[in-house]
Structure formats: structure tokens, C-alpha cells
Amino acid sequence: MKSWSKDIEINVQIEEVWQLLNGDLEEIQKIMPQVVAQEPIKITSEKVGSIYLQKYREGSRVQEYEVETLEYIDDENNKKLKVGFTLANMFEITAQYELKGIDSDRTYFKYTTTNTPLKWFLKPLVKLGSDKVVIQFVERVKKVAEGQKLQSSGQL
């Protein structure tokens, strides 16, 4: 298993960032435009154990997989969402989003992802992987969240 993590400070309220990570498909697509569909399969009252069928476009191909909620915390100044899925029967992937409210207009955001190859011949590929995608994702969440704040305040 290989793990990558990156954190950043975002200059918006915690709820605005949380909406991008935990909202409906339209909100999620703002930070993950490759996600083309997300349909509930099983929803639990406590969120953990909920499963969604997600469709992801990579070039002209659309892959679909079941995403399960593994951890879920939605407190006022502490939020966490961890999901897991198996990609193409080759990789077991988790994505964890952690938010902490610094003050009324700043949020600490940490993104951690793991990738476990399910076939022996994929192990070298995972070991060679870099954190470039993780860094780009964290920066995109910051850019989108702060951009929405500017739009809503009329500063753009």
C-alpha cells in the first residue's frame, strides 16, 4: 500500500469547503469534473456504510465503481469523510478528507489517499507513483472554494 497526503489552509468557512466534498453531484463536479454520475445504492442513517455507484470519465472511457463511506464526522468545526472503492479489480483506493475550522473564515484541509495494488505485477507501478495528483487536488479545492467566495461577495 502506498499513501500520499497534503494539507492546506483555505480562506473560507468550513461549511463551504465541506459542501464541495460532501454535497450533491453538481458540487462534487466543481472539484472532480471527471465524476459524471453518482447514484445512491444503499444509504445508512449514520452515513458510514453508505454505498454510491459512481461513474468516472477518463478520456473517452467511463468507468463505474461502488464507493463506500468508511468514516464520517460532521461536527461544527471538525469534519471528516473517508471513502473507499476498487478500481478495475486492480487497485483498492481510499480517499480521506479532513476539515478543521481555524476561525470563521479559514479552514484547514487535509487530503490523504491510499492505493493498494490487488495484483502482484502492479506493485512496482504504485511504488513509483508521486504525490503530484494529491497536490493538484488540494490546490483545486482551495481555488474553487475561494473562487466561490469571491463570486458570492461580488468581488469578481
Side-chain angles (χ1 to χ4, degrees), residues 67-85:
V67 177
E68 181 176 1
T69 303
L70 304 172
E71 288 183 51
Y72 188 87
I73 299 171
D74 187 4
D75 296 335
E76 187 177 342
N77 283 307
N78 182 33
K79 301 181 183 299
K80 183 181 198 179
L81 173 63
K82 182 176 182 179
V83 297
F85 59 95

Side-chain angles (χ1 to χ4, degrees), residues 14 25-26 30 43 46 55 69 113 122 127 143 147:
I14 191 171
L25 178 62
E26 187 178 318
K30 291 176 183 176
I43 303 298
E46 64 278 352
K55 294 182 183 178
T69 303
T113 186
L122 296 170
K127 287 183 184 196
K143 181 180 175 185

